[in-house]
């Protein structure tokens, strides 16, 4: 993106990015409860719980795909994490830092292509990089005392894989679905209904 008009955020960009983030902040709060409630279902292999991790990374990917401006993925992921903390995240304020790390990961994929491609491979890359950032954060913050082979490596891989599929491919599919409704007509994602 070379023109300042293509990188400058419009009021509608800020509003829609904020709506995405706040909606996902509420979803995060609920997903935190789901995470706690499903721990027992994974007693056979606790690292496998990370297969449901990717939902926490959707707003970064979705924000990047919809807004298509520098900082959108980071903004949406950060604000969603912030809202979840305001609603009462069991992880406390550290979730805000985690949201920043995840947002930087999600943003990196869009930056890598110069904010010029918003196709499925970039969305999956955004989810994957957000998952990579999340997995590294978790390894340092939560899992450093666990055995590497039996816990840390599997949870790392499940987190990244879940993020690529759920946040990356899922975020792309959600963008397509929203575009089909006409809700994104003020955005390039909405004007590319047949091309997306």
């Amino acid at each position: 993106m070379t023109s300042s008009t293509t990188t400058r955020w419009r009021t509608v960009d800020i509003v829609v990015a904020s709506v995405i983030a706040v909606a996902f902040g509420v979803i995060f709060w609920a997903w935190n409860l789901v995470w706690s409630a499903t721990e027992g279902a994974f007693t056979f292999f606790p690292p496998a719980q990370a297969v449901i991790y990717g939902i926490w990374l959707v707003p970064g990917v979705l924000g990047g795909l919809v807004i298509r401006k520098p900082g959108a993925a980071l903004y949406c992921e950060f604000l969603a994490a912030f809202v979840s903390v305001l609603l009462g995240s069991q992880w406390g304020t550290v979730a805000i830092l985690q949201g920043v790390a995840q947002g930087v990961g999600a943003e990196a994929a869009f930056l890598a292509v110069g904010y010029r491609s918003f196709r499925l491979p970039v969305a999956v890359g955004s989810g994957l990089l957000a998952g990579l950032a999340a997995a590294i954060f978790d390894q340092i913050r939560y899992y450093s005392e666990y055995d590497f082979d039996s816990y840390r490596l599997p949870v790392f891989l499940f987190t990244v894989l879940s993020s690529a599929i759920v946040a990356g491919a899922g975020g792309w599919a959600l963008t397509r679905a929203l575009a089909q409704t006409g809700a994104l007509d003020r955005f390039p994602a909405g004007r590319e209904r047949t091309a997306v």
Side-chain angles (χ1 to χ4, degrees), residues 9-10 61 70 74 80 97 105 112 137 140 148 153 165 180 183 186 188:
W9 283 51
R10 305 168 299 165
V61 177
L74 173 59
L97 296 175
F137 187 96
I140 295 165
F148 181 79
L153 180 60
I165 295 169
Q180 292 300 320
R186 303 261 328 222

Side-chain angles (χ1 to χ4, degrees), residues 1-2 6-7 68-70 107-118 122:
M1 292 186 147
T2 55
T6 59
T7 60
R68 299 185 177 188
K69 305 243 168 100
E107 190 76 35
F110 298 110
L111 177 63
V113 296
Y115 300 93
R116 290 190 177 104
S117 177
F118 302 92
V122 176

Side-chain angles (χ1 to χ4, degrees), residues 63-99:
L65 292 172
V66 171
I67 306 301
R68 299 185 177 188
K69 305 243 168 100
L74 173 59
Y75 176 79
C76 287
E77 193 68 37
F78 161 76
L79 186 56
F82 187 81
V83 169
S84 77
V85 168
L86 290 178
L87 294 174
S89 169
Q90 66 258 43
W91 291 283
T93 56
V94 73
I96 297 170
L97 296 175
Q98 191 159 15

Side-chain angles (χ1 to χ4, degrees), residues 16-35:
V16 170
S18 298
V19 168
I20 289 169
V22 170
F24 271 93
V26 174
I27 291 169
F28 284 4
W29 173 82
W31 201 249
N32 294 345
L33 300 174
V34 170
W35 182 270

Side-chain angles (χ1 to χ4, degrees), residues 8-188:
R8 184 174 298 139
W9 283 51
R10 305 168 299 165
T11 302
V12 70
D13 297 329
I14 297 166
V15 170
V16 170
S18 298
V19 168
I20 289 169
V22 170
F24 271 93
V26 174
I27 291 169
F28 284 4
W29 173 82
W31 201 249
N32 294 345
L33 300 174
V34 170
W35 182 270
S36 295
T38 59
E39 284 179 349
F42 293 97
T43 55
F44 69 97
F45 188 55
Q49 188 177 19
V51 300
I52 65 171
Y53 197 104
I55 196 74
W56 281 310
L57 306 172
V58 172
V61 177
L62 183 63
L65 292 172
V66 171
I67 306 301
R68 299 185 177 188
K69 305 243 168 100
L74 173 59
Y75 176 79
C76 287
E77 193 68 37
F78 161 76
L79 186 56
F82 187 81
V83 169
S84 77
V85 168
L86 290 178
L87 294 174
S89 169
Q90 66 258 43
W91 291 283
T93 56
V94 73
I96 297 170
L97 296 175
Q98 191 159 15
V100 170
Q102 294 165 350
V104 167
E107 190 76 35
F110 298 110
L111 177 63
V113 296
Y115 300 93
R116 290 190 177 104
S117 177
F118 302 92
R119 302 260 180 221
L120 180 59
V122 176
V124 170
S126 179
L128 187 140
L129 292 174
L132 184 62
I136 290 168
F137 187 96
D138 288 352
Q139 293 288 313
I140 295 165
R141 174 76 174 146
Y142 301 111
Y143 305 132
S144 63
E145 302 297 318
Y146 288 83
D147 180 68
F148 181 79
D149 292 333
S150 67
Y151 196 93
R152 292 176 66 194
L153 180 60
V155 80
F156 187 94
L157 295 174
F158 282 132
T159 298
V160 173
L161 183 63
S162 172
S163 302
I165 295 169
V166 176
W172 182 78
L174 182 54
T175 302
R176 283 179 51 114
L178 288 169
Q180 292 300 320
T181 69
L184 302 180
D185 284 351
R186 303 261 328 222
F187 299 90

